[in-house]
């Protein structure tokens, strides 16, 4: 099942994508895609609906982030060996965790703002794991029981702020619009193996990233378990699991985003995002 949120920013309604690619409204069934709706019982209830009886949503409405009410937007750094190599970094012995500001969260096709005085804004296609039930110090063997589903994430990053301005990575990751998520949450029953998903990112039609979750250093189950020992994960929380090679920072010479460009990125079975880059006002 593909679950989504549609409508103007801040006024999104829950919905789902039917077999014909039509959006069906869920606002008469659940308040939003948050909390209990993301639990196994909540997902099972939605899967049991008569989809044909749900109201159709006309046209092509804006899509917002596919979940709301999250408390944590967790990201994993350098989680692909080939990406670590392109950045000249050693392979981590344990997952590198940082937090992305919740203010960065936005819809999958919303514009990405290039900040004032930014010289090194970069792209990163990533597999996002969406939590369905509270996870607190869970063993790896039970970690996937706490997952509601998966989505596409673009971990937009300002590399100078991240790496050259002192302190932690967070300052290069949390600018508004730096967290496109979606287009939808694909429930985990439709993802046979989260460690075997092709992924890509194009900038202005040029293929920049062409990878697979097969080359993750730490897999999804390991990450959910590991993070849950440091940060209690709640329904709607997101773990963005790292990016394959091909980021702008890793090009020789490096290539970074500027206003007026387009990004297209996606993961097999999870949909695509399309963003324009615009200058900060």
């Amino acid at each position: 099942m593909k679950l989504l949120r549609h409508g103007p920013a801040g006024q999104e309604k829950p919905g789902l994508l039917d077999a014909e690619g039509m959006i069906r409204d869920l606002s008469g069934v659940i308040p939003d895609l948050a909390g209990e709706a993301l639990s196994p019982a909540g997902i099972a209830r939605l899967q049991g609906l008569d989809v044909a009886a749900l109201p159709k949503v006309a046209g092509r409405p804006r899509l917002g982030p596919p979940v709301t009410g999250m408390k944590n937007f967790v990201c994993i750094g350098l989680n692909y060996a080939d990406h670590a190599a392109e950045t000249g970094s050693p392979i981590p012995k344990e997952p590198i965790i940082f937090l992305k500001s919740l203010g960065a969260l936005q819809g999958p096709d919303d514009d990405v703002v290039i900040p004032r005085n930014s010289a090194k804004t970069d792209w990163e296609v990533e597999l996002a794991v969406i939590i369905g039930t509270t996870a607190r110090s869970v063993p790896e063997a039970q970690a996937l029981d706490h997952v509601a589903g998966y989505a596409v994430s673009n971990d937009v990053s300002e590399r100078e702020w991240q790496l050259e301005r002192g302190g932690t990575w967070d300052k290069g990751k949390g600018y508004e619009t730096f967290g496109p998520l979606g287009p939808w949450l694909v429930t985990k029953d439709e993802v046979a193996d989260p460690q075997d998903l092709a992924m890509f990112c194009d900038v202005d039609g040029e293929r920049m990233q062409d990878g697979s979750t097969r080359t993750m250093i730490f897999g999804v189950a390991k990450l959910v378990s590991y993070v849950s020992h440091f940060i209690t994960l709640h329904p709607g929380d997101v773990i963005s699991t790292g990016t394959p090679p091909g980021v702008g920072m890793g090009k020789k010479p490096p290539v970074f985003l500027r206003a007026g460009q387009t990004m297209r990125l996606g993961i097999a079975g999870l949909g695509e995002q399309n963003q324009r880059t615009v200058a900060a006002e």
Side-chain angles (χ1 to χ4, degrees):
M1 176 172 281
K2 295 178 175 66
L3 301 172
L4 54 86
R5 298 173 66 248
H6 60 94
Q11 303 175 42
E12 295 94 343
K13 297 179 180 179
L16 61 80
L17 198 71
D18 70 16
E20 284 71 48
M22 173 71 68
I23 295 176
R24 302 280 183 158
D25 187 64
L26 285 172
S27 57
V29 180
I30 54 174
D32 214 332
L33 285 168
E36 180 62 26
L38 300 173
S39 69
I43 297 291
R45 180 189 177 203
L46 296 177
Q47 290 173 329
L49 294 173
D50 178 3
V51 173
L54 295 171
K56 293 181 179 180
V57 178
R60 298 181 62 184
R62 170 190 174 271
L63 296 180
V67 291
T68 189
M70 70 174 63
K71 295 185 178 181
N72 298 292
F73 194 165
V74 183
C75 296
I76 308 299
L78 299 175
N79 194 34
Y80 287 70
D82 34 12
H83 171 56
E86 75 173 344
T87 64
S89 303
I91 294 176
K93 293 182 172 59
E94 295 189 40
I96 296 171
I97 297 174
F98 60 93
L99 295 176
K100 204 171 185 79
S101 167
L102 296 183
L105 187 69
Q106 67 166 15
D109 301 329
D110 293 343
D111 292 345
V112 169
V113 176
I114 305 297
R116 293 188 189 92
N117 303 316
S118 167
K120 298 181 180 180
T121 299
D122 205 348
W123 56 85
E124 292 190 16
V125 61
E126 304 199 1
L127 173 67
V129 180
I130 299 176
I131 299 300
T133 57
T134 301
R136 182 183 295 108
S137 300
V138 299
E140 188 172 339
Q142 298 171 14
L144 296 185
D145 295 342
H146 297 270
V147 173
Y150 303 94
V152 182
S153 173
N154 187 358
D155 178 22
V156 184
S157 309
E158 214 299 341
R159 301 301 190 185
E160 181 185 19
W161 299 359
Q162 175 190 354
L163 301 171
E164 302 172 34
R165 298 290 298 273
T168 65
W169 287 8
D170 302 60
K171 68 175 68 173
K173 301 285 191 169
Y175 191 80
E176 59 183 346
T177 78
F178 273 20
L181 186 68
W184 29 74
L185 180 164
V186 179
T187 53
K188 64 181 177 182
D189 59 292
E190 292 194 5
V191 179
D193 183 359
Q195 304 306 148
D196 190 19
L197 300 174
M199 54 206 307
F200 74 92
C201 178
D202 296 344
V203 178
D204 288 342
E206 180 181 353
R207 183 60 45 96
M208 295 297 188
Q209 292 183 275
D210 188 4
S212 169
T213 58
R214 289 193 304 270
T215 65
M216 277 187 187
I217 298 168
F218 306 106
V220 169
K222 172 66 175 180
L223 292 175
V224 172
S225 172
Y226 186 88
V227 172
S228 78
H229 283 78
F230 300 93
I231 300 170
T232 298
L233 297 168
H234 301 271
D237 283 358
V238 172
I239 302 176
S240 199
T241 58
T243 199
V247 298
M249 179 176 64
K251 303 292 184 184
K252 294 181 173 42
V255 178
F256 297 109
L257 294 166
R258 61 186 187 279
Q261 294 187 286
T262 61
M263 288 183 283
R264 173 176 167 261
L265 54 145
I267 299 177
L270 304 185
E272 295 185 2
Q273 301 183 355
N274 291 273
Q275 295 123 20
R276 297 182 309 156
T277 56
V278 300
E281 296 181 355

